Amino acid sequence: MRLGDSQDESEFRAELRDWLSGQVPAGVPQAWSSEQLRAWSKSLYQAGYAGLSWPTEHGGRGLPAAYQAIYAEESALAGAPDHVNVIGLNMVGPTIIRYGSQAQQAALLPRILSGETIFCQGFSEPDAGSDLASVRTRARAHPAGYQVDGEKVWSSYAHLADYCLLLVRTDPDAVKHRGLTCLLMDMRTPGVQVRPLRELSGDTDFNQVILTDVLVSSDSVLGPVGEGWRVAMTTLAHERGTFGITLTSRLSAELDRLVQTVLAVGADSDPLVRTEIAELHVHLQGLRFTGYRALAELQRTGEPGAESSILKLGWSMANQRLTALALRVLGADAAFDGPTAFWSGYWQQQHLRSRTNTIEGGTSEILRGIVAERVLGLPRSR
Ligand SMILES: Cc1cc2nc3c(=O)[nH]c(=O)nc-3n(C[C@H](O)[C@H](O)[C@H](O)COP(=O)(O)OP(=O)(O)OC[C@H]3O[C@@H](n4cnc5c(N)ncnc54)[C@H](O)[C@@H]3O)c2cc1C
């Protein structure tokens, strides 16, 4: 198995590294406002780094998934933020490529790539998170198409989004998984109300979305009516698969920052700190090679394999452990608002955000179930 870059990959990496160094300020990691994120996303598109592995007929560069992995590694090293349309680019776009009509593809894919149309994902509801097939948001047939009523929750970027990939129940009499349909809903349609939710860190990146008598046309249905479960599973597979390699790259960059922090405050002679850092490094190497396996599976089959669940599980636990260690080393200087806030409170921010890592994109309990059943082949528990 070849793990290093090919000649082409190494040239691509060098060009990208050079480009990133001119775009992302070096030094202390910074917070990006939504305006800065939009500008950043536009420059990514203009430089040809958005949609690297999307097919060329849909505006992508048609490159193998390895190039997306190189992008993930280099952007993490440079401390670059996510594309503002991270959900559109990595999850909804690939789903539209697979299930969209020609009209949907032509209208939405170029705008997702350029960042002009930002997507959010409206799957979770107050009583449908891990058990997603329990979705109750109802879409009833209407002369205009569908009339939608219900409530979605934890929708990341809904406050910025132009469109939502919405999972709704079209047939309440069908068995749970069968009565669902996916809609591409314009967030500016009358009856859509977005209420930002404040997180532990003080940020408001996710939202409650209330839908009251929202009229959505029939040509906004993505995939066949009643097949929403299959469409949604494609989106979720891309969520775990695409982010897998990004997560290990980010963890690696974060571990480097932890080492810089430990050295800066002179905690490097503490044997407990040294042991913990060494253990995190060993853990990271295990995840990195699991990432390569998931990538090889993606290149071979076009679908991310169940290995991506190991990555998400291992990364989320390691990231919480890493940020907790940073807080322990810094003590009161880690606080956002302390007079001597280290890196303007970067580690406190990261630690509070890391609490959500074991919930978003599938909780650790759900992922352990997937690893047990689909990777290890153990019998189903239910
Ligand atoms: C930062 C963040 C961003 C998010 N962004 C989005 C988004 O953009 N769009 C979206 O649709 N959703 C989003 N979510 C929602 C996320 O997908 C759900 O929170 C997640 O799937 C868990 O669902 P829940 O919160 O309803 O918890 P529940 O499903 O109610 O789970 C509660 C607890 O029970 C456990 N549990 C549940 N079922 C089982 C089982 N079968 N076996 C063992 N344990 C079980 C869970 O592990 C958990 O500990 C986001 C969440 C977070 C934290």
Side-chain angles (χ1 to χ4, degrees):
M1 185 184 183
R2 183 182 56 77
L3 291 177
D5 290 344
S6 66
Q7 178 73 25
D8 277 357
E9 287 164 359
S10 124
E11 281 166 16
F12 172 80
R13 188 187 289 279
E15 260 171 43
L16 171 63
R17 187 174 289 186
D18 186 46
W19 183 80
L20 284 168
S21 70
Q23 302 288 322
V24 183
V28 175
Q30 61 161 27
W32 295 60
S33 68
S34 52
E35 288 72 32
Q36 286 172 315
L37 284 177
R38 279 181 194 269
W40 157 249
S41 306
K42 196 169 171 193
S43 56
L44 265 180
Y45 170 65
Q46 285 166 344
Y49 292 120
L52 288 171
S53 54
W54 279 31
T56 46
E57 68 265 33
H58 296 307
R61 283 179 62 179
L63 293 168
Y67 287 78
Q68 194 61 50
I70 293 173
Y71 178 80
E73 286 172 358
E74 291 301 320
S75 65
L77 273 176
D82 275 335
H83 192 285
V84 70
N85 202 9
V86 63
I87 292 181
L89 214 48
N90 296 324
M91 295 154 61
V92 181
T95 315
I96 296 178
I97 288 172
R98 171 95 181 263
Y99 290 104
S101 65
Q102 275 186 356
Q104 288 168 340
Q105 292 177 342
L108 292 169
L109 293 176
R111 296 179 66 85
I112 290 177
L113 271 186
S114 65
E116 286 162 281
T117 295
I118 297 178
F119 257 93
C120 65
Q121 173 204 17
F123 286 8
S124 305
E125 295 183 5
D127 292 314
S130 304
D131 183 15
L132 190 58
S134 293
V135 155
R136 282 199 297 213
T137 292
R138 185 78 169 87
R140 293 179 178 80
H142 182 277
Y146 290 95
Q147 177 181 321
V148 183
D149 291 277
E151 178 184 338
K152 295 288 172 181
V153 74
W154 318 126
S155 305
S156 305
Y157 305 107
H159 57 303
L160 302 176
D162 306 289
Y163 268 83
C164 178
L165 178 61
L166 193 71
L167 185 63
V168 294
R169 186 160 298 284
T170 34
D171 183 356
D173 300 323
V175 271
K176 238 176 162 188
H177 296 74
R178 294 274 160 77
L180 298 170
T181 298
C182 274
L183 301 176
L184 297 162
M185 180 186 75
D186 186 333
M187 292 293 282
R188 290 180 192 90
T189 316
V192 178
Q193 193 192 355
V194 177
R195 294 183 188 157
L197 296 168
R198 191 163 296 281
E199 296 153 35
L200 195 61
S201 59
D203 296 330
T204 46
D205 289 333
F206 56 27
N207 307 267
Q208 191 183 16
V209 180
I210 313 285
L211 304 163
T212 315
D213 300 341
V214 179
L215 295 182
V216 180
S217 68
S218 318
D219 51 14
S220 303
V221 173
L222 180 63
V225 173
E227 294 284 338
W229 183 252
R230 195 154 53 92
V231 178
M233 287 306 108
T234 302
T235 311
L236 292 182
H238 280 280
E239 176 170 18
R240 288 173 199 152
T242 313
F243 291 143
I245 201 84
T246 309
L247 299 180
T248 13
S249 307
R250 294 244 175 102
L251 190 64
S252 172
E254 200 76 317
L255 190 56
D256 288 346
R257 288 189 196 114
L258 176 68
V259 171
Q260 281 176 45
T261 304
V262 165
L263 289 170
V265 298
D268 50 303
S269 54
D270 181 334
L272 294 179
V273 172
R274 294 167 74 95
T275 305
E276 183 86 354
I277 289 178
E279 280 179 11
L280 281 165
H281 175 73
V282 171
H283 187 69
L284 170 64
Q285 300 317 311
L287 287 178
R288 174 170 283 151
F289 289 103
T290 305
Y292 291 145
R293 276 175 60 203
L295 189 64
E297 182 71 5
L298 181 64
Q299 304 238 60
R300 201 172 56 79
T301 63
E303 291 291 332
E307 285 80 12
S308 52
S309 296
I310 305 179
L311 279 178
K312 160 69 176 40
L313 186 60
W315 162 79
S316 53
M317 291 188 299
N319 198 36
Q320 289 180 354
R321 196 169 150 191
L322 191 158
T323 57
L325 178 60
L327 251 60
R328 210 171 85 212
V329 165
L330 287 169
D333 290 344
F336 297 133
D337 47 2
T340 51
F342 187 86
W343 286 356
S344 313
Y346 174 78
W347 286 113
Q348 186 182 27
Q349 172 75 27
Q350 293 303 101
H351 183 62
L352 293 177
R353 181 63 179 82
S354 78
R355 304 311 304 166
T356 64
N357 296 159
T358 42
I359 303 170
E360 60 194 320
T363 68
S364 293
E365 289 75 21
I366 293 299
L367 295 176
R368 284 190 196 100
I370 294 175
V371 173
E373 290 169 17
R374 292 195 223 151
V375 179
L376 299 174
L378 291 170
R380 284 182 66 84
S381 60
R382 286 171 295 138

